[in-house]
Coordinates of all heavy atoms in Angstrom, one line a residue:
M1 N -3.6 -10.2 -5.8 CA -4.8 -9.6 -6.4 C -4.5 -8.2 -6.9 O -3.9 -7.4 -6.2 CB -6.0 -9.6 -5.4 CG -7.3 -9.1 -6.0 SD -8.6 -9.0 -4.7 CE -8.8 -10.7 -4.4
E2 N -4.9 -7.9 -8.1 CA -4.7 -6.6 -8.7 C -5.7 -5.6 -8.0 O -6.7 -5.9 -7.6 CB -5.1 -6.6 -10.2 CG -4.2 -7.6 -11.0 CD -2.9 -7.1 -11.4 OE1 -2.7 -5.9 -11.3 OE2 -1.9 -7.9 -11.6
L3 N -5.2 -4.3 -8.1 CA -6.0 -3.3 -7.4 C -7.5 -3.2 -8.0 O -8.4 -3.0 -7.2 CB -5.3 -2.0 -7.4 CG -4.2 -1.7 -6.5 CD1 -3.6 -0.4 -6.7 CD2 -4.8 -1.7 -5.0
A4 N -7.5 -3.2 -9.3 CA -8.9 -3.1 -10.0 C -9.8 -4.3 -9.6 O -11.0 -4.1 -9.3 CB -8.7 -3.0 -11.5
A5 N -9.2 -5.5 -9.5 CA -9.9 -6.6 -9.1 C -10.4 -6.5 -7.6 O -11.5 -6.9 -7.3 CB -9.1 -7.9 -9.3
L6 N -9.5 -6.0 -6.7 CA -9.9 -5.8 -5.4 C -11.0 -4.8 -5.3 O -12.0 -5.1 -4.5 CB -8.7 -5.2 -4.6 CG -9.0 -4.7 -3.2 CD1 -9.3 -5.9 -2.2 CD2 -7.9 -3.9 -2.6
Q7 N -10.9 -3.7 -6.0 CA -12.0 -2.7 -5.9 C -13.3 -3.3 -6.4 O -14.4 -3.0 -5.8 CB -11.6 -1.5 -6.8 CG -12.6 -0.3 -6.7 CD -12.1 1.0 -7.3 OE1 -10.8 1.1 -7.4 NE2 -13.0 1.9 -7.6
Q8 N -13.3 -4.1 -7.5 CA -14.5 -4.6 -8.0 C -15.1 -5.7 -7.0 O -16.3 -5.7 -6.8 CB -14.2 -5.4 -9.4 CG -15.5 -5.8 -10.0 CD -16.5 -4.7 -10.3 OE1 -16.1 -3.7 -10.9 NE2 -17.7 -4.8 -9.8
L9 N -14.2 -6.5 -6.4 CA -14.7 -7.5 -5.5 C -15.3 -6.8 -4.2 O -16.4 -7.2 -3.8 CB -13.5 -8.3 -5.0 CG -13.8 -9.4 -3.9 CD1 -14.8 -10.4 -4.5 CD2 -12.5 -10.1 -3.5
M10 N -14.7 -5.7 -3.8 CA -15.3 -5.0 -2.6 C -16.6 -4.4 -3.0 O -17.5 -4.4 -2.2 CB -14.3 -3.9 -2.1 CG -13.0 -4.5 -1.5 SD -13.3 -5.5 0.0 CE -13.1 -7.1 -0.7
A11 N -16.7 -3.9 -4.2 CA -18.0 -3.3 -4.8 C -19.0 -4.3 -4.8 O -20.2 -4.1 -4.4 CB -17.7 -2.6 -6.1
D12 N -18.7 -5.5 -5.3 CA -19.6 -6.6 -5.5 C -20.1 -7.1 -4.1 O -21.2 -7.5 -3.9 CB -19.1 -7.8 -6.2 CG -18.8 -7.4 -7.7 OD1 -19.3 -6.4 -8.2 OD2 -18.0 -8.2 -8.4
T13 N -19.2 -7.2 -3.1 CA -19.4 -7.7 -1.8 C -20.2 -6.8 -0.9 O -21.1 -7.2 -0.2 CB -18.1 -8.1 -1.1 OG1 -17.4 -9.0 -2.0 CG2 -18.3 -8.9 0.2
Y14 N -19.7 -5.5 -0.9 CA -20.2 -4.5 0.1 C -20.9 -3.3 -0.6 O -21.3 -2.4 0.2 CB -19.1 -4.1 1.0 CG -18.5 -5.2 1.8 CD1 -17.2 -5.5 1.6 CD2 -19.2 -5.9 2.8 CE1 -16.5 -6.6 2.3 CE2 -18.6 -6.9 3.5 CZ -17.3 -7.2 3.3 OH -16.7 -8.2 4.0
G15 N -20.8 -3.2 -1.9 CA -21.1 -1.9 -2.6 C -22.5 -1.4 -2.2 O -22.6 -0.2 -1.9
A16 N -23.5 -2.2 -2.2 CA -24.9 -1.7 -1.9 C -25.0 -1.1 -0.5 O -25.5 0.0 -0.3 CB -25.9 -2.9 -2.1
Q17 N -24.5 -1.8 0.5 CA -24.6 -1.3 1.9 C -23.7 -0.1 2.1 O -24.1 0.8 2.8 CB -24.4 -2.4 2.9 CG -23.0 -3.1 2.9 CD -23.1 -4.6 3.4 OE1 -23.8 -5.4 2.7 NE2 -22.4 -4.9 4.4
D18 N -22.5 -0.1 1.4 CA -21.6 1.0 1.6 C -22.2 2.3 1.0 O -22.1 3.3 1.6 CB -20.2 0.7 0.9 CG -19.4 -0.3 1.8 OD1 -19.9 -0.7 2.9 OD2 -18.3 -0.7 1.3
R19 N -22.8 2.1 -0.2 CA -23.5 3.3 -0.8 C -24.6 3.8 0.0 O -24.8 5.0 0.1 CB -23.9 2.9 -2.2 CG -22.9 3.1 -3.3 CD -23.5 3.0 -4.7 NE -24.3 1.7 -4.9 CZ -23.6 0.5 -5.2 NH1 -22.3 0.5 -5.4 NH2 -24.4 -0.6 -5.3
E20 N -25.3 2.9 0.7 CA -26.4 3.4 1.5 C -25.9 4.1 2.7 O -26.5 5.1 3.1 CB -27.2 2.1 2.0 CG -28.6 2.5 2.5 CD -29.5 1.2 2.6 OE1 -29.3 0.3 1.8 OE2 -30.3 1.2 3.5
R21 N -24.8 3.7 3.3 CA -24.2 4.4 4.4 C -23.7 5.7 4.0 O -23.7 6.7 4.7 CB -23.1 3.6 5.1 CG -23.5 2.5 5.9 CD -22.3 2.0 6.8 NE -22.4 0.6 7.1 CZ -21.8 -0.4 6.4 NH1 -21.1 -0.1 5.3 NH2 -22.0 -1.6 6.8
G22 N -23.1 5.8 2.8 CA -22.5 7.1 2.2 C -21.1 7.3 2.5 O -20.4 6.6 3.3
V23 N -20.6 8.3 1.8 CA -19.1 8.6 1.8 C -18.7 9.0 3.2 O -17.6 8.6 3.7 CB -18.8 9.7 0.8 CG1 -17.4 10.2 1.0 CG2 -18.9 9.1 -0.6
A24 N -19.5 9.8 3.9 CA -19.1 10.3 5.3 C -18.8 9.1 6.2 O -17.9 9.1 7.0 CB -20.1 11.2 5.8
A25 N -19.8 8.1 6.2 CA -19.6 6.9 7.0 C -18.4 6.1 6.6 O -17.7 5.6 7.5 CB -20.9 6.1 7.0
T26 N -18.2 6.0 5.3 CA -17.0 5.3 4.8 C -15.7 5.9 5.3 O -14.8 5.3 5.7 CB -17.0 5.2 3.3 OG1 -18.2 4.5 2.9 CG2 -15.9 4.5 2.8
I27 N -15.6 7.2 5.2 CA -14.5 8.0 5.8 C -14.3 7.7 7.3 O -13.2 7.5 7.7 CB -14.6 9.5 5.6 CG1 -14.5 9.9 4.1 CG2 -13.7 10.3 6.4 CD1 -13.1 9.9 3.6
A28 N -15.4 7.7 8.0 CA -15.3 7.4 9.4 C -14.7 6.0 9.7 O -13.9 5.8 10.5 CB -16.7 7.5 10.1
W29 N -15.3 5.0 8.9 CA -14.8 3.6 9.1 C -13.3 3.5 8.7 O -12.5 2.8 9.3 CB -15.6 2.6 8.2 CG -16.9 2.3 9.0 CD1 -18.2 2.6 8.7 CD2 -17.0 1.4 10.1 NE1 -19.1 2.1 9.5 CE2 -18.4 1.3 10.4 CE3 -16.1 0.6 10.9 CZ2 -18.8 0.5 11.5 CZ3 -16.5 -0.1 11.9 CH2 -17.9 -0.2 12.2
L30 N -13.0 4.1 7.6 CA -11.6 4.1 7.1 C -10.7 4.6 8.2 O -9.6 4.1 8.5 CB -11.4 4.9 5.8 CG -10.0 5.0 5.2 CD1 -9.4 3.7 4.9 CD2 -10.1 5.9 4.0
T31 N -11.1 5.7 8.7 CA -10.2 6.4 9.8 C -10.1 5.5 11.0 O -9.0 5.4 11.6 CB -10.9 7.7 10.2 OG1 -11.0 8.5 9.0 CG2 -10.0 8.5 11.1
E32 N -11.2 4.8 11.4 CA -11.2 4.0 12.5 C -10.3 2.8 12.3 O -9.5 2.4 13.1 CB -12.6 3.5 12.8 CG -12.7 2.5 14.1 CD -14.1 2.3 14.5 OE1 -14.9 3.3 14.5 OE2 -14.4 1.2 14.9
E33 N -10.3 2.2 11.1 CA -9.5 1.1 10.7 C -8.1 1.5 10.7 O -7.2 0.7 11.0 CB -9.9 0.5 9.4 CG -11.3 -0.2 9.4 CD -11.3 -1.4 10.4 OE1 -10.2 -1.9 10.8 OE2 -12.4 -1.9 10.7
L34 N -7.8 2.7 10.2 CA -6.4 3.2 10.2 C -5.9 3.3 11.6 O -4.7 3.0 11.9 CB -6.4 4.6 9.5 CG -5.0 5.1 9.0 CD1 -4.5 4.1 8.0 CD2 -5.2 6.4 8.3
G35 N -6.8 3.7 12.5 CA -6.4 3.8 14.0 C -6.0 2.4 14.5 O -5.1 2.2 15.2
E36 N -6.9 1.4 14.1 CA -6.6 0.0 14.5 C -5.3 -0.5 13.9 O -4.5 -1.3 14.5 CB -7.8 -0.9 14.1 CG -9.0 -0.6 14.9 CD -10.2 -1.5 14.5 OE1 -10.0 -2.4 13.7 OE2 -11.3 -1.2 14.9
L37 N -5.0 -0.1 12.7 CA -3.7 -0.5 12.0 C -2.6 0.1 12.8 O -1.5 -0.6 13.1 CB -3.7 -0.1 10.6 CG -2.4 -0.3 9.8 CD1 -2.0 -1.7 9.8 CD2 -2.5 0.3 8.4
A38 N -2.7 1.4 13.2 CA -1.7 2.0 13.9 C -1.4 1.3 15.2 O -0.2 1.1 15.7 CB -2.0 3.5 14.2
Q39 N -2.5 0.9 15.9 CA -2.3 0.2 17.2 C -1.7 -1.2 16.9 O -0.8 -1.6 17.7 CB -3.7 0.0 17.9 CG -3.6 -0.5 19.2 CD -5.0 -0.5 19.9 OE1 -5.9 -1.2 19.5 NE2 -5.1 0.3 20.9
A40 N -2.0 -1.9 15.9 CA -1.5 -3.2 15.6 C 0.0 -3.1 15.2 O 0.8 -3.9 15.6 CB -2.3 -3.9 14.4
V41 N 0.4 -2.0 14.6 CA 1.8 -1.8 14.3 C 2.6 -1.6 15.5 O 3.7 -2.1 15.7 CB 2.0 -0.6 13.3 CG1 3.4 -0.1 13.2 CG2 1.5 -0.9 11.9
R42 N 1.9 -0.8 16.5 CA 2.7 -0.5 17.7 C 2.8 -1.7 18.6 O 3.9 -2.0 19.2 CB 1.9 0.7 18.4 CG 2.7 1.3 19.5 CD 2.1 2.7 19.9 NE 0.7 2.6 20.2 CZ 0.2 2.3 21.4 NH1 1.0 2.1 22.4 NH2 -1.1 2.3 21.6
K43 N 1.7 -2.5 18.8 CA 1.8 -3.6 19.8 C 1.1 -4.8 19.3 O 0.7 -5.7 20.2 CB 1.2 -3.0 21.1 CG -0.3 -2.5 21.0 CD -0.7 -2.0 22.4 CE -2.2 -1.6 22.3 NZ -2.7 -1.0 23.6
G44 N 0.8 -5.0 18.0 CA 0.2 -6.2 17.6 C 1.1 -7.3 17.0 O 2.3 -7.0 16.9
T45 N 0.5 -8.4 16.8 CA 1.3 -9.5 16.1 C 1.2 -9.3 14.6 O 0.4 -8.5 14.1 CB 0.7 -10.9 16.4 OG1 -0.7 -10.9 15.8 CG2 0.5 -11.1 17.9
P46 N 2.2 -9.9 13.9 CA 2.1 -9.8 12.4 C 0.7 -10.3 11.9 O 0.3 -9.6 10.9 CB 3.2 -10.8 11.9 CG 4.2 -10.8 13.1 CD 3.3 -10.7 14.3
E47 N 0.1 -11.2 12.5 CA -1.3 -11.6 12.0 C -2.2 -10.5 12.2 O -3.1 -10.2 11.3 CB -1.7 -12.9 12.8 CG -1.0 -14.1 12.4 CD 0.4 -14.2 13.1 OE1 0.7 -13.4 14.0 OE2 1.2 -15.1 12.6
E48 N -2.2 -9.8 13.3 CA -3.1 -8.7 13.5 C -2.8 -7.5 12.6 O -3.7 -6.8 12.1 CB -3.0 -8.2 15.0 CG -3.6 -9.2 16.0 CD -3.2 -8.9 17.5 OE1 -2.1 -8.4 17.7 OE2 -3.9 -9.5 18.3
Q49 N -1.5 -7.3 12.3 CA -1.1 -6.2 11.4 C -1.7 -6.5 10.0 O -2.2 -5.6 9.3 CB 0.4 -6.1 11.4 CG 0.9 -5.5 12.7 CD 2.4 -5.7 12.8 OE1 3.1 -6.2 12.0 NE2 2.9 -5.2 14.0
L50 N -1.6 -7.8 9.6 CA -2.1 -8.2 8.3 C -3.5 -8.0 8.2 O -4.1 -7.5 7.2 CB -1.7 -9.7 8.1 CG -1.6 -10.3 6.7 CD1 -0.5 -9.5 5.9 CD2 -1.2 -11.7 6.7
H51 N -4.3 -8.4 9.3 CA -5.7 -8.2 9.3 C -6.1 -6.7 9.1 O -7.0 -6.4 8.3 CB -6.2 -8.7 10.7 CG -7.6 -8.6 11.0 ND1 -8.5 -9.6 11.1 CD2 -8.4 -7.4 11.2 CE1 -9.7 -9.2 11.4 NE2 -9.7 -7.9 11.4
E52 N -5.4 -5.8 9.8 CA -5.7 -4.4 9.8 C -5.3 -3.8 8.4 O -6.0 -2.9 7.9 CB -5.1 -3.6 10.9 CG -5.5 -4.1 12.3 CD -7.1 -4.1 12.5 OE1 -7.8 -3.4 11.8 OE2 -7.6 -4.8 13.4
L53 N -4.2 -4.3 7.9 CA -3.8 -3.8 6.5 C -5.0 -4.1 5.5 O -5.3 -3.3 4.7 CB -2.5 -4.4 6.1 CG -1.2 -3.9 6.6 CD1 -0.1 -4.8 6.3 CD2 -0.9 -2.5 6.1
G54 N -5.5 -5.3 5.6 CA -6.6 -5.7 4.8 C -7.8 -4.9 4.9 O -8.5 -4.5 4.0
D55 N -8.2 -4.6 6.2 CA -9.4 -3.8 6.5 C -9.2 -2.4 5.9 O -10.1 -1.8 5.3 CB -9.6 -3.7 8.0 CG -10.2 -5.0 8.5 OD1 -10.5 -5.9 7.7 OD2 -10.3 -5.1 9.7
V56 N -8.0 -1.8 6.1 CA -7.8 -0.4 5.6 C -7.9 -0.4 4.0 O -8.5 0.4 3.4 CB -6.4 0.1 6.0 CG1 -6.0 1.4 5.2 CG2 -6.4 0.4 7.5
L57 N -7.3 -1.4 3.4 CA -7.4 -1.5 1.9 C -8.8 -1.7 1.4 O -9.2 -1.1 0.5 CB -6.6 -2.7 1.4 CG -5.1 -2.4 1.0 CD1 -4.5 -3.7 0.5 CD2 -5.1 -1.4 -0.2
A58 N -9.6 -2.5 2.2 CA -10.9 -2.7 1.8 C -11.8 -1.5 1.9 O -12.6 -1.1 1.0 CB -11.6 -3.8 2.7
W59 N -11.6 -0.7 2.9 CA -12.3 0.6 3.1 C -11.9 1.6 2.1 O -12.7 2.4 1.6 CB -12.3 1.1 4.5 CG -13.2 0.4 5.4 CD1 -12.9 -0.5 6.4 CD2 -14.7 0.5 5.4 NE1 -14.1 -0.9 7.0 CE2 -15.2 -0.4 6.4 CE3 -15.6 1.2 4.7 CZ2 -16.5 -0.5 6.7 CZ3 -16.9 1.0 4.9 CH2 -17.4 0.2 5.9
L60 N -10.6 1.6 1.8 CA -10.0 2.5 0.8 C -10.7 2.2 -0.6 O -11.1 3.1 -1.3 CB -8.5 2.4 0.8 CG -7.8 3.5 0.1 CD1 -8.0 4.9 0.8 CD2 -6.3 3.2 0.1
A61 N -10.8 0.9 -0.9 CA -11.4 0.5 -2.2 C -12.8 1.0 -2.2 O -13.4 1.4 -3.2 CB -11.3 -1.0 -2.3
S62 N -13.5 0.8 -1.1 CA -15.0 1.2 -1.0 C -15.1 2.8 -1.2 O -16.0 3.2 -1.9 CB -15.6 0.8 0.3 OG -16.8 1.4 0.5
L63 N -14.2 3.5 -0.6 CA -14.3 5.0 -0.8 C -14.0 5.3 -2.2 O -14.8 6.1 -2.8 CB -13.2 5.6 0.1 CG -13.1 7.1 0.0 CD1 -14.4 7.8 0.4 CD2 -12.0 7.6 0.8
A64 N -13.0 4.7 -2.8 CA -12.7 5.0 -4.3 C -13.9 4.7 -5.1 O -14.3 5.5 -6.0 CB -11.5 4.2 -4.8
E65 N -14.6 3.6 -4.9 CA -15.7 3.2 -5.6 C -16.9 4.2 -5.5 O -17.5 4.6 -6.5 CB -16.2 1.8 -5.2 CG -17.3 1.2 -6.0 CD -16.8 0.7 -7.3 OE1 -15.6 0.7 -7.6 OE2 -17.8 0.5 -8.2
Q66 N -17.1 4.6 -4.3 CA -18.2 5.6 -4.0 C -17.9 6.9 -4.7 O -18.9 7.7 -5.0 CB -18.5 5.7 -2.6 CG -19.1 4.5 -1.9 CD -19.4 4.7 -0.5 OE1 -20.2 5.4 0.0 NE2 -18.6 3.9 0.3
L67 N -16.7 7.3 -4.8 CA -16.3 8.5 -5.4 C -16.3 8.4 -7.0 O -16.0 9.4 -7.7 CB -14.9 9.0 -5.0 CG -14.8 9.4 -3.5 CD1 -13.4 9.6 -3.1 CD2 -15.7 10.5 -3.1
G68 N -16.5 7.2 -7.5 CA -16.5 6.9 -8.9 C -15.0 7.0 -9.5 O -14.9 7.3 -10.6
L69 N -14.1 6.7 -8.6 CA -12.7 6.8 -9.0 C -12.0 5.4 -8.9 O -12.6 4.5 -8.2 CB -11.9 7.7 -8.1 CG -12.4 9.2 -8.2 CD1 -11.8 10.1 -7.1 CD2 -12.2 9.8 -9.6
S70 N -10.9 5.2 -9.6 CA -10.2 4.0 -9.7 C -8.9 4.0 -8.8 O -8.1 4.9 -9.0 CB -9.9 3.6 -11.1 OG -8.7 2.9 -11.2
L71 N -8.7 3.0 -7.9 CA -7.5 3.0 -7.2 C -6.3 2.8 -8.1 O -5.2 3.4 -7.8 CB -7.5 1.7 -6.2 CG -8.2 1.9 -4.9 CD1 -8.1 0.6 -4.1 CD2 -7.8 3.1 -4.1
E72 N -6.5 2.1 -9.2 CA -5.4 1.9 -10.2 C -5.0 3.3 -10.8 O -3.8 3.5 -10.9 CB -5.8 0.9 -11.3 CG -5.8 -0.5 -10.8 CD -5.4 -1.5 -11.9 OE1 -5.6 -1.2 -13.0 OE2 -5.0 -2.6 -11.4
D73 N -6.0 4.1 -11.1 CA -5.7 5.4 -11.6 C -5.0 6.2 -10.5 O -4.1 7.1 -10.8 CB -7.0 6.1 -12.0 CG -7.6 5.5 -13.3 OD1 -6.9 4.7 -14.0 OD2 -8.7 5.9 -13.6
A74 N -5.4 6.0 -9.3 CA -4.8 6.8 -8.1 C -3.3 6.6 -8.0 O -2.5 7.5 -7.7 CB -5.6 6.5 -6.8
V75 N -2.9 5.3 -8.2 CA -1.5 5.0 -8.0 C -0.7 5.1 -9.3 O 0.5 4.9 -9.2 CB -1.3 3.6 -7.3 CG1 -1.9 3.5 -6.0 CG2 -1.8 2.5 -8.2
A76 N -1.4 5.4 -10.4 CA -0.7 5.5 -11.7 C 0.4 6.5 -11.7 O 1.5 6.3 -12.3 CB -1.6 5.8 -12.8
R77 N 0.3 7.6 -10.9 CA 1.3 8.6 -10.9 C 2.6 8.1 -10.2 O 3.7 8.8 -10.3 CB 0.8 9.9 -10.3 CG 0.6 9.8 -8.8 CD -0.2 11.1 -8.3 NE -0.3 11.2 -6.9 CZ 0.6 11.9 -6.2 NH1 1.5 12.6 -6.8 NH2 0.5 12.0 -4.9
Y78 N 2.5 6.9 -9.5 CA 3.8 6.4 -8.9 C 4.4 5.3 -9.8 O 5.4 4.7 -9.5 CB 3.5 5.7 -7.6 CG 3.2 6.8 -6.5 CD1 1.9 7.2 -6.2 CD2 4.2 7.4 -5.8 CE1 1.6 8.1 -5.3 CE2 3.9 8.3 -4.8 CZ 2.6 8.7 -4.5 OH 2.3 9.6 -3.7
A79 N 3.8 5.0 -11.0 CA 4.1 3.9 -11.8 C 5.6 4.1 -12.4 O 6.3 3.0 -12.6 CB 3.2 3.7 -13.0
N80 N 6.0 5.3 -12.6 CA 7.4 5.5 -13.1 C 8.4 6.1 -12.1 O 9.3 6.8 -12.4 CB 7.3 6.4 -14.3 CG 6.5 5.7 -15.4 OD1 6.7 4.6 -15.8 ND2 5.5 6.5 -15.9
G81 N 8.1 5.7 -10.8 CA 9.0 6.2 -9.7 C 8.3 7.4 -9.0 O 7.1 7.6 -9.1
C82 N 9.2 8.1 -8.3 CA 8.7 9.2 -7.5 C 8.1 10.2 -8.4 O 8.7 10.7 -9.4 CB 10.0 9.8 -6.8 SG 9.6 11.4 -6.0
P83 N 6.9 10.7 -8.2 CA 6.2 11.7 -9.1 C 7.0 13.0 -9.1 O 6.8 13.7 -10.1 CB 4.8 11.9 -8.4 CG 4.6 10.7 -7.5 CD 6.0 10.2 -7.1
K84 N 7.8 13.3 -8.1 CA 8.5 14.6 -8.1 C 9.8 14.5 -8.9 O 10.0 15.4 -9.8 CB 8.8 15.0 -6.6 CG 7.6 15.5 -5.9 CD 7.9 16.0 -4.5 CE 6.7 16.4 -3.7 NZ 6.9 16.5 -2.3
C85 N 10.6 13.5 -8.6 CA 12.0 13.5 -9.2 C 12.0 12.4 -10.3 O 13.0 12.4 -11.1 CB 13.0 13.2 -8.2 SG 13.0 11.5 -7.5
G86 N 11.0 11.6 -10.4 CA 11.0 10.5 -11.5 C 12.0 9.4 -11.3 O 12.2 8.6 -12.2
Q87 N 12.6 9.3 -10.1 CA 13.7 8.3 -9.9 C 13.1 7.2 -9.0 O 12.2 7.3 -8.2 CB 14.8 8.9 -9.1 CG 15.5 10.1 -9.8 CD 16.2 9.7 -11.1 OE1 17.0 8.8 -11.1 NE2 15.9 10.4 -12.2
I88 N 13.7 6.0 -9.3 CA 13.5 4.8 -8.4 C 14.9 4.3 -8.0 O 15.7 3.8 -8.9 CB 12.8 3.7 -9.2 CG1 11.5 4.2 -9.8 CG2 12.6 2.5 -8.3 CD1 10.7 3.2 -10.7
P89 N 15.3 4.4 -6.7 CA 14.5 5.0 -5.6 C 14.5 6.5 -5.7 O 15.3 7.1 -6.4 CB 15.2 4.5 -4.4 CG 16.7 4.3 -4.8 CD 16.6 3.8 -6.2
C90 N 13.5 7.1 -5.0 CA 13.4 8.5 -4.9 C 14.7 9.2 -4.5 O 15.4 8.8 -3.6 CB 12.3 8.9 -3.9 SG 12.3 10.6 -3.4
A91 N 15.1 10.3 -5.3 CA 16.3 11.0 -5.0 C 16.0 12.4 -4.4 O 16.9 13.2 -4.3 CB 17.1 11.1 -6.3
C92 N 14.8 12.6 -4.0 CA 14.5 13.9 -3.4 C 15.2 14.2 -2.1 O 15.6 15.3 -1.8 CB 12.9 14.0 -3.2 SG 11.9 14.0 -4.7
G93 N 15.4 13.1 -1.3 CA 16.1 13.0 0.0 C 16.2 14.3 0.6 O 16.9 14.7 1.5
Ligands
ZN101 ZN1 11.7 11.9 -5.4

Protein backbone atom coordinates (compact mmCIF):
# COMPACT_ATOMS: atom_id res chain seq x y z
CA MET A 1 0.00 0.00 0.00
CA GLU A 2 1.27 3.46 -0.93
CA LEU A 3 1.74 5.98 1.86
CA ALA A 4 -0.88 8.39 0.48
CA ALA A 5 -3.38 5.54 0.21
CA LEU A 6 -2.60 4.48 3.78
CA GLN A 7 -3.09 8.03 5.04
CA GLN A 8 -6.40 8.34 3.18
CA LEU A 9 -7.62 4.96 4.43
CA MET A 10 -6.79 5.86 8.03
CA ALA A 11 -8.53 9.23 7.58
CA ASP A 12 -11.62 7.53 6.16
CA THR A 13 -11.63 4.87 8.88
CA TYR A 14 -10.72 6.87 11.99
CA GLY A 15 -10.54 10.52 10.90
CA ALA A 16 -13.69 11.76 12.59
CA GLN A 17 -12.96 10.26 16.00
CA ASP A 18 -9.24 11.11 15.80
CA ARG A 19 -10.02 14.77 15.04
CA GLU A 20 -12.43 14.85 17.96
CA ARG A 21 -9.73 13.53 20.32
CA GLY A 22 -7.24 16.02 18.90
CA VAL A 23 -3.54 16.18 18.17
CA ALA A 24 -2.40 15.94 21.80
CA ALA A 25 -4.28 12.65 22.27
CA THR A 26 -2.92 11.35 18.97
CA ILE A 27 0.63 12.14 20.09
CA ALA A 28 -0.07 10.28 23.34
CA TRP A 29 -1.38 7.22 21.45
CA LEU A 30 1.49 7.29 18.97
CA THR A 31 3.97 7.41 21.83
CA GLU A 32 2.24 4.55 23.62
CA GLU A 33 2.26 2.44 20.46
CA LEU A 34 5.94 3.25 19.95
CA GLY A 35 6.56 1.91 23.44
CA GLU A 36 4.66 -1.26 22.58
CA LEU A 37 6.75 -1.60 19.41
CA ALA A 38 9.94 -1.21 21.45
CA GLN A 39 8.76 -3.96 23.80
CA ALA A 40 7.80 -6.24 20.89
CA VAL A 41 11.23 -5.74 19.33
CA ARG A 42 12.89 -6.62 22.63
CA LYS A 43 10.87 -9.69 23.54
CA GLY A 44 8.03 -10.22 21.07
CA THR A 45 7.40 -12.59 18.21
CA PRO A 46 7.64 -11.46 14.58
CA GLU A 47 3.81 -11.46 14.51
CA GLU A 48 3.69 -9.11 17.52
CA GLN A 49 6.35 -6.87 15.97
CA LEU A 50 4.35 -6.72 12.72
CA HIS A 51 1.21 -5.81 14.69
CA GLU A 52 2.97 -2.95 16.50
CA LEU A 53 4.65 -1.65 13.33
CA GLY A 54 1.18 -1.38 11.82
CA ASP A 55 -0.21 0.45 14.84
CA VAL A 56 2.66 2.97 14.84
CA LEU A 57 2.19 3.63 11.13
CA ALA A 58 -1.57 4.05 11.57
CA TRP A 59 -1.14 6.63 14.34
CA LEU A 60 1.60 8.40 12.40
CA ALA A 61 -0.77 8.65 9.42
CA SER A 62 -3.50 10.02 11.71
CA LEU A 63 -1.13 12.65 13.09
CA ALA A 64 -0.05 13.75 9.61
CA GLU A 65 -3.69 14.00 8.56
CA GLN A 66 -4.65 16.13 11.57
CA LEU A 67 -1.69 18.43 10.90
CA GLY A 68 -2.87 18.81 7.31
CA LEU A 69 0.39 17.30 6.07
CA SER A 70 1.23 14.41 3.78
CA LEU A 71 3.38 11.43 4.80
CA GLU A 72 4.52 11.20 1.17
CA ASP A 73 5.74 14.80 1.32
CA ALA A 74 7.40 14.00 4.64
CA VAL A 75 9.53 11.22 3.16
CA ALA A 76 10.16 13.01 -0.14
CA ARG A 77 13.45 14.39 1.17
CA TYR A 78 14.75 10.79 1.34
CA ALA A 79 13.69 9.99 -2.23
CA ASN A 80 17.15 10.65 -3.68
CA GLY A 81 19.15 9.08 -0.90
CA CYS A 82 20.58 10.56 2.27
CA PRO A 83 19.35 14.19 2.57
CA LYS A 84 22.78 15.24 3.87
CA CYS A 85 25.22 13.57 1.48
CA GLY A 86 22.86 12.62 -1.36
CA GLN A 87 24.30 9.10 -1.50
CA ILE A 88 22.69 5.64 -1.54
CA PRO A 89 23.87 4.12 0.72
CA CYS A 90 24.60 7.08 2.97
CA ALA A 91 28.29 8.00 3.01
CA CYS A 92 28.12 10.32 6.05
CA GLY A 93 29.42 7.45 8.23
ZN1 LIG B 1 24.62 10.67 4.36
